Amino acid sequence: MDDGRISRHGSGAKLWLAGGWLLLALLAAIFAPLVAPQDPLAQDLMLERLPPFWMSGAEPGYWLGTDSLGRDLLSRLIFGARIAFIVAFAAATAACLVGSTLGLVAGYFGGWADRIISRIVDVWMAFPPVLFAILLVAVLGTGLSSVIIAIAVIDWTRFCRVIRAETMGQSRMDYVENARIAGYGRIGIMLREVLPNVVPSIVALLSLEMGIAVIVEAILSFVNLSISTDDPTWGGIIAEGRLSIHQAWWVLVFPLITLILTVLSFSQFGEGLKARFDPVLR
Amino acid sequence: MSACLDIRDLSAVLPNGQRVLRSVSLAVQPGEVRALVGESGAGKTMIGKAVLGVLPSSVRIVEGDMLLEGEDLGKLQPKARRTLIGARTALIPQDPLTALNPSRRIGPQMTDRLVRILGWSGEKADQRIRQLLDEVQIRDPDRVLKNYPHELSGGMRQRVLIAAAFAAEPRLIVADEPTTALDVTVQKQILRLIAQLQREHGTAILFVTHDLGVVAKISQKVSVLYAGKVVEEAETAALFAAPQHPYTRALMAATPRYTDPFASLKPVDETVLAGLAAEIASADQAWGRPHG
Amino acid sequence: MLLQRFLIRLLTMLVTLFGVAVVVFVVIRVAPGDPIAMMLPPGATDADIARLRALYGLDKTILQQFFIWLSGVVRGDFGTSISLRQDVLGLVFNRLPATLELAIVALIMAVTIGGTTAILGARERGTAVEAGIDIASGTALSIPDFLWGLVLILLFGVLIPVFDISGRVSPQLDLPFLTQFYLFESLLRLRFDLTWDLLKHMLMPAVALALPLAAIIAQLLKQSLKEVLDLDYVVLARVKGFSETQVILREALKNAALPTLTLVGVQFTFLIGGTVIVERLFSYEGLGNMAIDAVINRDLPLIQGIVLVFALLFVLINLVVDMMYALLNPRLRHG
């Protein structure tokens, strides 16, 4: 009893912290043109590799310094958040819809449906995911929609595996049996009785997947395969920072911190939501 | 002659302050079988675990001493206490199905205490174990020693555990409901085996049970426990002849007798329980802590 | 029963590999853009292009191409790399050892760190030590290898530059190796100076790959240890006089390790998948790094070969884990 109370208390605090950061980043992304201090694309070779504000040689208005082309780092991070969040929401939602549906069907109906879906999942799990993503974007051509499609195509299995297992567990419960005896149809039972019980897991996975999508987008733009090279992306800034690491460490440090906070927040937010929504834990 | 086990005023509490043992005192003389009897939750298993130093981490001893052959367990360093308990006591556990490690062969599980704690040679330990297996009437020790636990029946496993318990010639064995998890037919054999080995080896046993029938068969003295408190202590024969405490009388009335299995089955009377509650509340008051 | 289980697994394994081959073949052939055009200098004639297309078999239908390629693969012929103009299998075998060494070192690190942490956490259960372990493993788990790699580059490549953050071995060194397993061969040849240089390059990428897996092992193994530690046979071992550490190592660990083992198998394939980007990050000359180059250069035969080798590695690992599980579990072995 005591343990439960303590962990719920802790999860509440985590939920607020994680949600707070995500809200902040989301607002910055939405209102990027208003909050960004500079034009993220404006190059100025007179201002190249300016250090962040607390170091000597910093220029006012360039809070986090500039990169090797003199572009303002903070503004690029803020505009990069736009792409990160668009990819996170779109790719995770798509992966979730495909994966959860297939997982629900495989878990609830079993038999041939389950066998075929499970085989496909096996095949998908035999691909190195990052290489698969890079390959897909290379094939589809760089661009926002390619990145989103690639992530959804790769990561639907995560939803499928978890939801299939949970659905199987729920389907064996007595309430499903009772509903069947009461004369409800199979699809009706699946949607009305089983689905609500796996929703907490779906919500947690969805949030986790958004964090993963942000990372995959960063990896893709790190290898120069995401959006067009001019648009500011977190991965693109990191690639730039990796090259100039000995001359301008801040170009790597700030996007890295941003990414870590965002990824941690997405996973903690998901866990927190699950704890809040789960009827058993609540 | 000092007692084999001497427990004085032992009290233990849960994290929420509830007492699970209430100033328990009892002494087991060398070679004596002492039964600890009570309903489930009365704290009888807790006493055995306290003696062996394996209480759950949530239970805290707040008062009292435990002396093993005159040595105060509470005054020893943890390592010395563990070695002393390992050398002089043994446990016959409740459930033979879970008391053997499923991934290790029987042989090493039986000899490891002799070899690794008591420092015997492997050969000597092996001989000793075979001798004990013979005493518990296992006829094909070669096979059994090579077996994994799941390859033996429940009764066989309990024989193995009894043999292992007696192997190091402990002074005290805690038998924690050793027959409860077994089939009725096997129960009698196991009980007879324990009694026989106890006589031959002269080992003192703290026999934890809820079954008064078992008590009558095996023990010389009985302590009756209710809610972590010893309500009556007597020679076994005297207790059955003339139980003093109302709870003991109620417990006996609730135990089926083979001669007249139906007539004697009565639930424990409400007034007896109410009396007990009052008794415990006043004891707790005297102890300086509100009940519950 | 063990053999039957093995054969069934082998069969599903082949089905999975065939599926991978189909998917990668289809995905690549959908690609717009002509790999041949990229190979030729500007001003090449249509006849030149047609000749090269025929050479690489790109003038046939997709189905024909697939079966030509597949029959080659079955005979061990993965075709010729378009960008490097070399035999694909040779290229892959040249790079695979570097990736395997990295993955194995990372796995050893993950099991060591994760296992030790789990045992410590189980011994100190309910204390502040366990709470600290929970927070640390939760964080290590949530941050993927790519980000760990960047953090390590900053910490130990720039801030305290003690490790190399680029390449597999210092370029000025003379290498006496016959195989591509530099690290293992340097140990066998007792050339510990080279071992040290290789480790200095390998350590950071290996840690980046190992941390998330170590965290998973720590969490799961600690949980199952704690469950096992309440069982009667463990209590009995305590009564026998064994210390808590001895009890955990001798009685609890093997039984608690079984569920962890299955998970480590799947997670090890994730770790190998992670080498692709981590190798890129540390300019480590392994298979993953070559794979990214192959994708960027649209080198179809090379991409197919590499993906298939990765897939083979993954299904083999799953097979080995499955067999190990059966061997370690006495119930399955005898039942």
Side-chain angles (χ1 to χ4, degrees):
Chain A
M1 285 304 284
D2 282 358
D3 286 354
R5 221 175 297 142
I6 288 164
S7 78
R8 270 187 53 70
H9 211 76
S11 84
K14 269 193 263 176
L15 189 66
W16 284 111
L17 274 176
W21 167 259
L22 292 177
L23 187 68
L24 188 75
L26 184 63
L27 288 177
I30 292 171
F31 300 107
L34 299 176
V35 289
Q38 310 287 339
D39 177 355
L41 301 177
Q43 302 182 10
D44 187 343
L45 295 182
M46 300 302 288
L47 295 171
E48 66 171 53
R49 287 181 187 145
L50 288 177
F53 67 92
W54 68 86
M55 289 171 65
S56 67
E59 286 280 336
Y62 296 87
W63 294 101
L64 301 182
T66 60
D67 65 11
S68 57
L69 296 173
R71 295 175 295 195
D72 179 47
L73 195 54
L74 179 59
S75 306
R76 288 179 73 74
L77 282 175
I78 290 172
F79 274 89
R82 290 192 139 184
I83 290 162
F85 273 97
I86 292 171
V87 170
F89 289 133
T93 309
C96 174
L97 285 177
V98 176
S100 303
T101 309
L102 289 176
L104 208 56
V105 168
Y108 183 71
F109 289 102
W112 277 106
D114 182 31
R115 242 168 282 173
I116 291 169
I117 292 172
S118 296
R119 255 314 71 79
I120 297 174
V121 170
D122 276 355
V123 170
W124 247 250
M125 300 288 290
F127 278 98
V130 170
L131 182 56
F132 200 7
I134 291 170
L135 181 60
L136 282 172
V137 173
V139 165
L140 297 169
T142 52
L144 200 56
S145 55
S146 301
V147 173
I148 291 167
I149 292 170
I151 294 172
V153 165
I154 292 156
D155 265 353
W156 63 272
T157 53
R158 191 189 312 279
F159 291 88
C160 188
R161 281 180 299 146
V162 175
I163 299 309
R164 172 183 172 267
E166 291 222 349
T167 307
M168 277 181 140
Q170 294 290 340
S171 302
R172 284 192 215 101
M173 303 264 185
D174 284 346
Y175 71 83
V176 173
E177 184 74 20
N178 285 342
R180 198 168 297 159
I181 293 167
Y184 291 106
R186 309 242 298 163
I187 292 177
I189 295 173
M190 183 174 86
L191 295 179
R192 225 183 355 257
E193 306 282 340
V194 179
L195 183 60
N197 286 295
V198 296
V199 160
S201 296
I202 295 181
V203 169
L205 274 179
L206 189 64
S207 186
L208 185 74
E209 181 62 36
M210 288 183 189
I212 290 167
V214 169
I215 289 294
V216 175
E217 191 276 317
I219 288 175
L220 287 171
S221 41
F222 180 79
V223 297
N224 216 351
L225 269 175
S226 175
I227 324 295
S228 76
T229 27
D230 289 337
D231 280 321
T233 59
W234 289 349
I237 303 170
I238 283 177
E240 150 84 24
R242 170 77 176 87
L243 290 177
S244 59
I245 188 168
H246 294 285
Q247 298 87 33
W249 52 263
W250 51 90
V251 184
L252 180 54
V253 169
F254 291 117
L256 185 56
I257 293 172
T258 313
L259 257 180
I260 288 178
L261 282 178
T262 309
V263 170
L264 271 179
S265 296
F266 270 124
S267 74
Q268 295 304 325
F269 193 65
E271 289 296 311
L273 278 186
K274 183 177 182 183
R276 191 144 291 201
F277 278 125
D278 197 320
V280 181
L281 285 177
R282 189 175 50 200
Chain B
M1 190 172 61
S2 79
C4 178
L5 172 68
D6 196 356
I7 299 176
R8 294 171 189 163
D9 292 329
L10 189 69
S11 291
V13 298
L14 290 175
N16 61 13
Q18 191 193 331
R19 287 171 83 192
V20 285
L21 294 179
R22 297 182 153 88
S23 301
V24 170
S25 292
L26 65 91
V28 182
Q29 300 307 320
E32 175 188 275
V33 179
R34 162 69 61 104
L36 267 181
V37 67
E39 300 168 325
S40 48
K44 49 193 196 305
T45 296
M46 215 59 90
I47 294 174
K49 287 191 167 163
V51 171
L52 298 174
V54 288
L55 278 176
S57 56
S58 55
V59 179
R60 201 161 48 86
I61 293 176
V62 286
E63 188 186 74
D65 302 310
M66 289 180 287
L67 279 69
L68 189 60
E69 297 197 298
E71 297 222 43
D72 190 339
L73 292 177
K75 292 213 173 78
L76 292 172
Q77 291 298 309
K79 193 169 185 305
R81 181 166 61 226
R82 211 166 45 232
T83 316
L84 184 80
I85 291 172
R88 300 210 185 152
T89 72
L91 168 69
I92 302 178
Q94 175 168 14
D95 186 356
L97 296 179
T98 59
L100 288 163
N101 188 332
S103 68
R104 296 178 63 206
R105 292 177 197 278
I106 300 291
Q109 294 202 56
M110 292 185 74
T111 53
D112 59 2
R113 184 216 306 251
L114 301 179
V115 175
R116 294 178 59 101
I117 302 294
L118 303 178
W120 293 20
S121 73
E123 201 181 335
K124 189 179 162 200
D126 189 57
Q127 273 176 7
R128 177 71 179 153
I129 288 297
R130 282 165 190 278
Q131 184 191 337
L132 260 303
L133 285 179
D134 185 58
E135 287 185 34
V136 296
Q137 291 153 26
I138 287 179
R139 294 298 167 228
D140 48 353
D142 289 324
R143 184 181 69 83
V144 170
L145 288 175
K146 282 204 189 72
N147 276 152
Y148 285 94
H150 69 271
E151 295 166 317
L152 301 179
S153 68
M156 283 289 269
R157 289 191 218 187
Q158 194 59 295
R159 281 163 201 260
V160 163
L161 286 163
I162 290 167
F166 279 98
E169 290 294 351
R171 308 299 165 80
L172 174 75
I173 288 179
V174 176
D176 184 8
E177 307 236 18
T179 57
T180 309
L182 300 172
D183 289 345
V184 183
T185 45
V186 186
Q187 280 185 5
K188 276 189 181 174
Q189 298 169 13
I190 293 295
L191 207 57
R192 210 175 300 138
L193 263 181
I194 295 177
Q196 188 185 335
L197 263 74
Q198 188 272 331
R199 268 197 307 279
E200 285 164 10
H201 293 258
T203 318
I205 295 186
L206 189 63
F207 201 106
V208 175
T209 181
H210 64 274
D211 187 344
L212 279 171
V214 170
V215 171
K217 284 194 190 76
I218 200 161
S219 68
Q220 286 105 48
K221 283 183 88 173
V222 191
S223 296
V224 182
L225 244 78
Y226 182 83
K229 183 172 158 43
V230 177
V231 293
E232 181 163 9
E233 185 184 58
E235 303 278 334
T236 305
L239 185 92
F240 277 92
Q244 298 299 306
H245 197 277
Y247 176 69
T248 315
R249 283 200 289 274
L251 204 60
M252 283 185 173
T255 303
R257 257 164 263 196
Y258 294 108
T259 47
D260 187 7
F262 296 107
S264 57
L265 266 183
K266 286 183 215 146
V268 174
D269 197 59
E270 288 294 327
T271 52
V272 173
L273 291 181
L276 274 167
E279 204 175 309
I280 281 160
S282 73
D284 277 0
Q285 219 120 50
W287 189 63
R289 184 182 273 273
H291 182 204
Chain C
M1 198 200 74
L2 211 59
L3 185 73
Q4 196 190 356
R5 190 186 169 101
F6 179 76
L7 289 176
I8 292 175
R9 287 302 303 244
L10 212 61
L11 203 70
T12 44
M13 196 177 119
L14 288 175
V15 174
T16 304
L17 283 178
F18 184 78
V20 170
V22 172
V23 170
V24 72
F25 203 90
V26 168
V27 164
I28 287 176
R29 290 311 186 281
V30 173
D34 188 348
I36 298 296
M38 288 169 59
M39 290 170 65
L40 290 166
T45 63
D46 283 353
D48 288 337
I49 293 177
R51 199 168 46 76
L52 261 178
R53 287 185 74 86
L55 184 67
Y56 285 99
L58 296 175
D59 52 345
K60 303 196 170 63
T61 67
I62 283 190
L63 207 63
Q64 277 174 321
Q65 288 183 37
F66 179 70
F67 282 107
I68 290 171
W69 175 69
L70 196 68
S71 66
V73 165
V74 173
R75 284 180 278 115
D77 174 13
F78 281 66
T80 307
S81 156
I82 294 177
S83 60
L84 301 169
R85 324 260 162 119
Q86 286 177 41
D87 178 44
V88 166
L89 202 63
L91 285 168
V92 168
F93 278 143
N94 211 25
R95 285 293 188 95
L96 183 62
T99 299
L100 281 181
E101 279 190 344
L102 179 61
I104 290 169
V105 169
L107 179 69
I108 293 171
M109 285 166 77
V111 170
T112 317
I113 299 171
T116 319
T117 314
I119 291 169
L120 183 71
R123 210 187 63 185
E124 308 289 327
R125 55 194 175 280
T127 66
V129 175
E130 196 199 353
I133 286 175
D134 285 344
I135 292 174
S137 60
T139 311
L141 183 63
S142 302
I143 299 177
D145 41 25
F146 175 62
L147 295 186
W148 278 124
L150 290 164
V151 170
L152 291 170
I153 285 175
L154 277 169
L155 286 182
F156 299 105
V158 179
L159 204 60
I160 321 161
V162 283
F163 295 105
D164 290 283
I165 52 169
S166 184
R168 187 181 180 197
V169 66
S170 299
Q172 71 276 14
L173 288 175
D174 253 348
L175 301 177
F177 302 126
L178 292 174
T179 67
Q180 292 294 319
F181 286 99
Y182 289 175
L183 186 71
F184 300 151
E185 202 181 331
S186 74
L187 286 171
L188 285 176
R189 286 172 182 269
L190 308 177
R191 287 289 306 273
F192 298 126
D193 55 325
L194 294 179
T195 310
W196 175 236
D197 187 73
L198 287 160
L199 274 180
K200 263 174 65 178
H201 284 84
M202 192 184 277
L203 213 57
M204 289 297 97
V207 170
L209 290 166
L211 276 175
L213 179 55
I216 295 175
I217 295 176
Q219 284 187 348
L220 196 79
L221 186 61
K222 179 167 75 81
Q223 191 51 41
S224 30
L225 273 175
K226 279 167 74 179
E227 280 161 23
V228 172
L229 284 174
D230 283 336
L231 297 180
D232 284 355
Y233 65 83
V234 177
V235 173
L236 199 62
R238 277 189 208 119
V239 172
K240 284 177 184 173
F242 290 108
S243 72
E244 192 64 20
T245 311
Q246 279 175 314
V247 166
I248 292 175
L249 292 179
R250 285 168 52 83
E251 303 283 348
L253 192 56
K254 198 171 163 194
N255 296 309
L258 273 178
T260 314
L261 180 71
T262 331
L263 183 104
V264 168
V266 181
Q267 293 292 332
F268 186 45
T269 63
F270 291 164
L271 187 152
I272 293 179
T275 59
V276 174
I277 191 64
V278 169
E279 282 180 0
R280 191 71 173 183
L281 202 51
F282 289 89
S283 313
Y284 184 91
E285 290 126 22
L287 199 56
N289 209 346
M290 185 164 77
I292 294 181
D293 284 332
V295 172
I296 292 171
N297 294 329
R298 296 190 169 276
D299 190 338
L300 308 188
L302 190 54
I303 296 170
Q304 287 165 9
I306 293 174
V307 170
L308 212 58
V309 167
F310 269 119
L312 180 70
L313 214 55
F314 287 10
V315 290
L316 277 180
I317 288 167
N318 284 323
L319 184 75
V320 169
V321 168
D322 196 50
M323 290 300 116
M324 267 167 69
Y325 185 83
L327 280 176
L328 283 177
N329 191 341
R331 273 167 219 274
L332 275 177
R333 189 168 42 199
H334 298 281

